[in-house]
Amino acid sequence: MTVLPTDSLETPRFCGVPTFMRLPHATSLKDLDAAIIGLPSDSGGPYRTGARFAPNAVRAMSVMLRPINPYRGNINIFEELRVADVGDANVVPGYEIESLERIEESVAALAAAGIVPFGIGGDHSITLAELRALAKVHGPIALVHFDSHTDTWDTYFAGKKYSAGTPFRRGVEEQIIDTSCSIQIGMRGSLFQENDIRQSIDLGYDVLTTEEALDLGAAALADRIARRVAGKPVFISFDMDFVDPSAAPAVQTPEAGGPTARETLQIIRTLHDINLVGCDVVEANPLYDSTGQITALLAATVMAEFLALLASRRSSSPG
């Protein structure tokens, strides 16, 4: 059965309880292809806090989005995918490890039911919990990671192993990320130490700085990503600080010199041949957003583009 969002030509956008793109709020996982899930934890944030409020801020601005994506052949996302908003995972504020455990449990329920999770974070540590849940179903995952930071440090503050700066090292150590098929895109800015980027390469990731990615151009970058993931189950993790702060000021750890909103969306809209089994959009912090909520709007748009990516692949698959 087709699951459609509320028609904004019939019911005004400002009416109703906010769900992503005005989708139904699911109380059952039956017959869903994909699900929006809020992951409202910022207990791993080493700088700003406030990303716990991002899921609802992104939902609130997602009412501006429409179901047809003109960049992928005018595909109607919700005619190809049965999608619902399943609400938020429960967390334990201030307790990183316990929050990760609860997030993993919530995402695992989706993965076990064959549902592709679309997570709205939350700081970047939450991705580790999602990968743990998905690896139980798919085995080691190919990671496509858009960010201005590698998040592959060993520890952060007093030898702590779990934070927004460590998930993609922990994922390698736990053998839930296949780095031979993974890529990190958008690294830039000043460093803590000389090997901040080298540490990712040493772990097996392909790494592109912001300059390298923009010099390649969207089409060549998409081809490089497709070759790298090579048909494996893919998780896309998109940190909003990938984008320049002029277009996305409300992030946990802003980094000057990134792609514009237009360049960012062009890159995402060019992605192809991705066997998407999960994704997230993380590190938005509505406490720092402008009155126009431009960061939340862009985060919602990025998420909608990932939905269109999955819908396009499903529509072109045989049978």
Side-chain angles (χ1 to χ4, degrees), residues 138-302:
H138 301 285
I141 304 292
L143 176 70
V144 177
H145 172 208
F146 293 95
D147 203 329
S148 62
H149 312 105
T150 62
D151 294 347
T152 53
W153 289 279
D154 185 35
T155 61
Y156 231 100
F157 300 120
K160 297 300 182 183
K161 292 282 191 177
Y162 298 95
S163 81
T166 65
F168 303 123
R169 179 177 290 271
R170 297 290 88 81
V172 176
E173 293 169 348
E174 295 178 19
Q175 299 183 332
I176 57 177
I177 297 174
D178 182 352
T179 55
S180 70
C181 299
S182 297
I183 184 168
Q184 296 185 309
I185 305 143
M187 312 301 118
R188 67 178 184 274
S190 53
L191 307 174
F192 284 124
Q193 49 201 13
E194 292 182 1
N195 68 341
D196 279 357
I197 293 178
R198 168 55 58 181
Q199 65 192 10
S200 283
I201 297 171
D202 290 343
L203 287 168
Y205 290 103
D206 187 15
V207 180
L208 288 172
T209 65
T210 293
E211 289 75 15
E212 289 168 337
L214 292 179
D215 286 347
L216 267 180
L221 177 58
D223 289 344
R224 180 160 172 169
I225 292 169
R227 288 194 302 271
R228 183 69 176 176
V229 300
K232 283 186 64 73
V234 174
F235 188 95
I236 300 178
S237 189
F238 189 94
D239 188 320
M240 288 301 296
D241 70 34
F242 173 83
V243 188
D244 190 80
S246 61
V251 298
Q252 296 281 89
T253 311
E255 198 72 63
T260 65
R262 181 181 182 276
E263 289 167 333
T264 297
L265 293 174
Q266 184 180 22
I267 288 168
I268 295 170
R269 288 165 177 162
T270 311
L271 294 176
H272 60 86
D273 295 324
I274 302 287
N275 178 18
L276 191 65
V277 298
C279 74
D280 61 24
V281 177
V282 301
E283 296 277 333
N285 187 333
L287 302 183
Y288 292 84
D289 220 350
S290 67
T291 53
Q293 297 172 282
I294 61 172
T295 310
L297 175 60
L298 182 56
T301 305
V302 169

Side-chain angles (χ1 to χ4, degrees), residues 14-35:
F14 50 81
C15 293
V17 177
T19 59
F20 191 81
M21 291 184 72
R22 311 193 77 185
L23 288 162
H25 180 201
T27 56
S28 167
L29 301 183
K30 185 179 180 181
D31 297 328
L32 292 179
D33 298 312

Side-chain angles (χ1 to χ4, degrees), residues 3-6 19-20 22-26 83-86:
V3 180
L4 297 176
T6 299
T19 59
F20 191 81
R22 311 193 77 185
L23 288 162
H25 180 201
V83 190
D85 191 322
V86 297

